Amino acid sequence: MTGPAAAGEGGVSDGPVVLVEGLCKTFPGPPPVAAVLGCSFRVERGEVVAVTGASGSGKTTLLSLLGLLESATAGRYLLDGVDVVGLSDDERCVQ
């Protein structure tokens, strides 16, 4: 990876720092568990956000996806302009 796809001054993306569209994470098993299903949002540079919800609603799984600790099963996740959904474990470590 060489950096943000749409870098502005100083190599910083001009778009949102986080862009999530239709993000899904399903854990296999009988039965499969859809922990995050079709999540979409954006976070602009300098914004402060909070993730809230009931117990078992997928907050920890979402944060694991955003922190690149887990891979999404579907959807789109741009981190500072870089699409990270299809990255290998090694590539996610570099980000």
Side-chain angles (χ1 to χ4, degrees):
M1 298 266 86
T2 57
E9 251 184 77
V12 175
S13 172
D14 294 331
V17 70
V18 172
L19 177 63
V20 172
E21 295 176 334
L23 200 65
C24 298
K25 175 64 177 183
T26 301
F27 293 99
V33 176
V36 175
L37 189 57
C39 186
S40 299
F41 63 93
R42 66 188 301 138
V43 179
E44 300 294 339
R45 192 163 311 283
E47 270 188 308
V48 177
V49 297
V51 178
T52 64
S55 178
S57 63
K59 300 178 301 292
T60 299
T61 302
L62 176 61
L63 293 174
S64 293
L65 291 166
L66 295 177
L68 305 180
L69 301 173
E70 293 275 355
S71 296
T73 51
R76 184 172 178 219
Y77 171 24
L78 298 180
L79 177 60
D80 211 14
V82 176
D83 189 349
V84 298
V85 168
L87 296 180
S88 69
D89 289 346
D90 289 340
E91 290 172 321
R92 286 197 320 265
C93 289
V94 173
Q95 291 302 309

